[in-house]
Amino acid sequence: MRYHTIAGTNIQVSEIGFGVWTLAAGWWGDYSDDEAVSLLRQARDRGITFFDTAATYGFGRGETLLAKAFPGAARDGIVIATKFGYDWESAKERRTGHTEPPHRLDPDFLQRSLDDALGRLNSDRIDHWQLHNARMEHLERDDVWNFLDRVQREGKVRSIGVALGPAIGWLDEGRYSLSQSPAHTVQMIYNALELDPGRALLAAARHNGRSLLVRVPHSSGMLEGKYTKDTTFGPNDHRSHRPRSWLVNGLQKIEQLEFLKQDGRRTLGQAALRYVLRTPEVVSALPNIYGLDQIEEFAAASDCPDISDEEASRIEELFESNYGLPREVEAAQPKAASAR
């Protein structure tokens, strides 16, 4: 495993992280606490030390799972990132499907959110606390940044970030976060099938000396290379809500990325991770991990050959040509509406 330091901090994270939403939110299948804890510990045994969750994941369950998986001294061997900003408890009974709960960012609510998160984590500090799916009006609030400055000085939060979403986009919010805010990181969607707005945010991070976290590096599993035209998803799997065109068109695109496997020297899933990690601004990628096979494959990506400049250029050329598919195909792609 390779490790990188978040810019402006002394926090070192594994370049392959673990997004705990797959275990806690119920959108990638159902996991008992024992099953989830086992997967988290097996990831740690393979060098994954960076775990990303949110207060909204499973209504706090993502945080409590980490407390169960890494109690006592084990807590010191990992880096925990979580997120805040949604008043999910007030909306818990009214919330349906993958709709967003309302944001709330007044200082009293932020203090309660911090105290509750520390309690669920059974920890005296959060390593990386991120404003969840921030809009521009949230980023421009001085009271939010003043609060975050105070809790960092108190040692309850070691570093701060902004997580963009829920749907791909948020270029302005990303640029603002990287240039005008004190955030150490921005978490964004970026992968070999979805290069924008990631490319612009890579440039902004480089210019401002900030770090990036990448989520959905496999484009909701498409770039793992395991789907076929006959693939189906269970009713509690968020991918079951996507139109069949998403699967069919995605399969046509990844056929053209077979060259990334380098005759068996890396899987497509490993190549997808090496692609998003090829620039130093990206300190960790957060693949969707939902089984031991993913843990073993993705953790081993650190031992695979890096993506060459030539390979990266081919990916960009394919993206610009829409992988040879009609441009209207892109308009038909679904946009996520979850609070991920």
Side-chain angles (χ1 to χ4, degrees):
M1 182 61 63
R2 308 181 204 182
Y3 300 88
H4 307 293
T5 301
I6 295 175
T9 79
N10 62 357
I11 299 173
Q12 192 175 70
V13 296
S14 55
E15 68 171 7
I16 307 300
F18 196 131
V20 183
W21 86 296
T22 53
L23 306 181
W27 298 344
W28 286 78
D30 294 320
Y31 296 84
S32 69
D33 282 6
D34 287 345
E35 290 170 331
V37 164
S38 176
L39 287 172
L40 291 168
R41 290 176 176 171
Q42 290 182 86
R44 175 63 186 88
D45 291 343
R46 288 158 178 80
I48 295 175
T49 59
F50 183 49
F51 297 87
D52 177 77
T53 188
T56 55
Y57 295 174
F59 302 121
R61 185 172 180 240
E63 292 168 336
T64 59
L65 285 174
L66 287 171
K68 291 178 180 179
F70 306 109
R75 168 68 179 89
D76 295 332
I78 64 168
V79 174
I80 293 177
T82 189
K83 306 181 190 75
F84 69 95
Y86 281 121
D87 188 8
W88 58 272
E89 290 180 289
S90 296
K92 185 175 179 180
E93 301 304 322
R94 304 191 306 274
R95 189 180 176 198
T96 59
H98 297 168
T99 57
E100 286 185 90
H103 278 94
R104 183 176 169 187
L105 294 169
D106 59 274
D108 288 344
F109 178 77
L110 294 183
Q111 184 64 60
R112 186 163 71 251
S113 298
L114 176 59
D115 293 341
D116 289 348
L118 289 170
R120 289 189 293 266
L121 290 167
N122 192 25
S123 180
D124 62 354
R125 83 279 186 189
I126 293 172
D127 299 306
H128 194 57
W129 209 31
Q130 303 159 95
L131 178 51
H132 200 176
N133 293 346
R135 274 58 166 179
M136 187 62 76
E137 61 264 28
H138 306 148
L139 298 172
E140 293 175 335
R141 290 184 58 159
D142 289 340
D143 57 345
V144 172
W145 300 115
N146 289 338
F147 177 85
L148 293 173
D149 178 66
R150 176 173 65 80
V151 296
Q152 286 182 95
R153 286 186 280 106
E154 291 172 351
K156 294 180 180 179
V157 173
R158 298 178 62 201
S159 62
I160 55 175
V162 173
L164 302 178
I168 191 169
W170 314 112
L171 175 61
D172 291 341
E173 287 83 352
R175 282 176 168 160
Y176 184 94
S177 299
L178 291 165
S179 63
Q180 303 297 319
S181 87
H184 297 101
T185 72
V186 161
Q187 184 176 149
M188 64 177 185
I189 292 174
Y190 181 58
N191 58 66
L193 297 180
E194 299 166 286
L195 299 188
D196 294 328
R199 290 185 291 185
L201 298 184
L202 282 167
R206 187 176 305 116
H207 179 75
N208 293 286
R210 308 293 180 91
S211 292
L212 295 166
L213 305 173
V214 168
R215 66 184 179 96
V216 202
H218 291 117
S219 192
S220 296
M222 188 66 67
L223 286 163
E224 290 182 42
K226 305 294 175 59
Y227 295 165
T228 71
K229 62 181 179 61
D230 298 317
T231 295
T232 59
F233 305 102
N236 65 337
D237 190 309
H238 80 288
R239 293 167 292 181
S240 66
H241 300 287
R242 293 173 179 264
R244 179 167 172 76
S245 59
W246 170 76
L247 177 64
V248 173
N249 295 330
L251 290 173
Q252 290 178 278
K253 290 180 179 181
I254 65 171
E255 283 180 2
Q256 299 180 69
L257 296 174
E258 288 292 310
F259 68 91
L260 293 173
K261 294 181 179 179
Q262 286 199 344
D263 296 325
R265 296 180 66 198
R266 56 193 177 206
T267 66
L268 182 60
Q270 291 168 336
L273 292 169
R274 292 260 52 91
Y275 176 71
V276 301
L277 289 163
R278 68 185 301 269
T279 57
E281 289 74 32
V282 177
V283 293
S284 189
L286 298 160
N288 293 319
I289 294 174
Y290 42 95
L292 180 57
D293 53 343
Q294 276 97 10
I295 293 174
E296 293 181 335
E297 178 183 356
F298 300 158
S302 285
D303 298 322
C304 293
D306 289 331
I307 298 294
S308 67
D309 291 343
E310 180 183 357
E311 289 171 321
S313 294
R314 289 183 65 181
I315 290 172
E316 294 202 1
E317 289 168 4
L318 286 167
F319 176 79
E320 295 299 342
S321 69
N322 195 34
Y323 291 81
L325 298 176
R327 276 292 168 189
E328 55 266 24
V329 166
E330 290 301 303
Q333 297 305 302
K335 300 300 182 183
S338 73
R340 163 107 197 268

